[in-house]
Amino acid sequence: EDQVTQSPEALRLQEGESSSLNCSYTVSGLRGLFWYRQDPGKGPEFLFTLYSAGEEKEKERLKATLTKKESFLHITAPKPEDSATYLCAVHVPRGATNKLIFGTGTLLAVQP
Amino acid sequence: DTEVTQTPKHLVMGMTNKKSLKCEQHMGHRAMYWYKQKAKKPPELMFVYSYEKLSINESVPSRFSPECPNSSLLNLHLHALQPEDSALYLCASSHSGPNSPLHFGNGTRLTVT
């Protein structure tokens, strides 16, 4: 069964304290791994797509990496505005189309 | 602001009502999606439309009825809902390629009384 697991469930950081979020997956036929950010009461906002092991993407204080079994979202010197739920999702084939399966998310709180 | 627009933002309906949720995108995407999200949970896929044809139905109860009138519009018709159907309903769209990210709207917060 296709499965996506994120850890930790929640993370509290001080402003400037770097850390990493983990996303591990067990899927057949991975067609892409995606990171999203979701603020309360809003839809998920797309951050990155990773396609193959060894790939890395960066955007401001965020850097996403991918191995064959997991992905990491590294947050360098976070600011309070980085507080949000970070969702990992994988694209798997489903008939003639694809299905996006989400992990349970990591709730990040950055304190000033 | 997102490029996927959902209306209404909030909806309260009784169990005997019929209502519709609407979603619109003008990014030229040919795949559109409905997701349901309960509090503190990840989004769960309900339906996928590809080139205006229903391609995935995740065994959703028939009280939810999707419709894709054209490539820019997606509706979700609601009838005889239950209180447990209260949730954030998210619409998304993407290009039809296998590696295309989904772009989400900000959802409709539905409360069933």
Side-chain angles (χ1 to χ4, degrees):
Chain A
E1 182 186 347
D2 298 325
Q3 202 162 14
V4 182
T5 305
Q6 290 187 247
S7 62
E9 287 186 14
L11 181 63
R12 189 184 299 264
L13 298 173
Q14 291 296 122
E15 185 171 2
E17 179 187 1
S18 302
S19 188
S20 295
L21 313 182
N22 177 263
C23 170
S24 60
Y25 58 91
T26 307
V27 298
S28 53
L30 178 71
R31 287 184 174 175
L33 185 141
F34 304 85
W35 282 98
Y36 286 84
R37 169 194 170 126
Q38 188 172 24
D39 292 296
K42 299 283 184 75
E45 176 190 346
F46 169 68
L47 294 173
F48 303 111
T49 309
L50 300 165
Y51 299 120
S52 55
E55 191 174 359
E56 298 182 351
K57 295 271 180 75
E58 284 189 71
K59 180 180 177 180
E60 296 181 358
R61 295 176 292 282
L62 301 177
K63 179 180 174 181
T65 61
L66 181 66
T67 71
K68 287 187 178 178
K69 293 291 184 188
E70 59 191 351
S71 177
F72 292 93
L73 185 65
H74 308 279
I75 303 177
T76 302
K79 298 182 177 182
E81 53 262 43
D82 295 321
S83 298
T85 295
Y86 289 85
L87 294 162
C88 163
V90 297
H91 240 172
V92 294
R94 177 79 175 272
T97 186
N98 300 291
K99 176 178 174 178
L100 193 64
I101 301 175
F102 280 91
T104 48
T106 293
L107 176 60
L108 175 66
V110 182
Q111 312 234 316
Chain B
D1 288 345
T2 72
E3 295 180 85
V4 177
T5 304
Q6 291 189 242
T7 55
K9 292 184 179 179
H10 301 275
L11 178 62
V12 179
M13 59 185 291
M15 290 189 284
T16 59
N17 292 158
K18 285 185 182 180
K19 296 285 185 183
S20 296
L21 309 185
K22 296 186 183 301
C23 175
E24 188 169 5
Q25 59 89 14
H26 294 288
M27 293 181 282
H29 291 165
R30 301 309 298 268
M32 296 188 78
Y33 310 76
W34 281 115
Y35 279 80
K36 173 182 177 179
Q37 187 175 27
K38 302 281 271 184
K40 299 187 189 299
K41 297 288 186 182
E44 294 180 359
L45 182 65
M46 300 175 71
F47 302 103
V48 180
Y49 274 84
S50 180
Y51 290 89
E52 294 115 70
K53 287 190 167 59
L54 183 64
S55 59
I56 295 180
N57 177 341
E58 289 288 276
S59 303
V60 179
S62 60
R63 58 186 183 269
F64 296 91
S65 176
E67 179 195 21
C68 189
N70 59 56
S71 60
S72 299
L73 293 175
L74 186 66
N75 299 321
L76 186 63
H77 304 296
L78 313 173
H79 172 56
L81 294 193
Q82 304 296 311
E84 58 265 29
D85 296 322
S86 299
L88 182 67
Y89 287 84
L90 293 162
C91 173
S93 68
S94 74
H95 290 297
S96 55
N99 297 329
S100 299
L102 274 62
H103 296 268
F104 286 84
N106 282 326
T108 293
R109 174 70 62 189
L110 175 68
T111 303
V112 181
T113 60

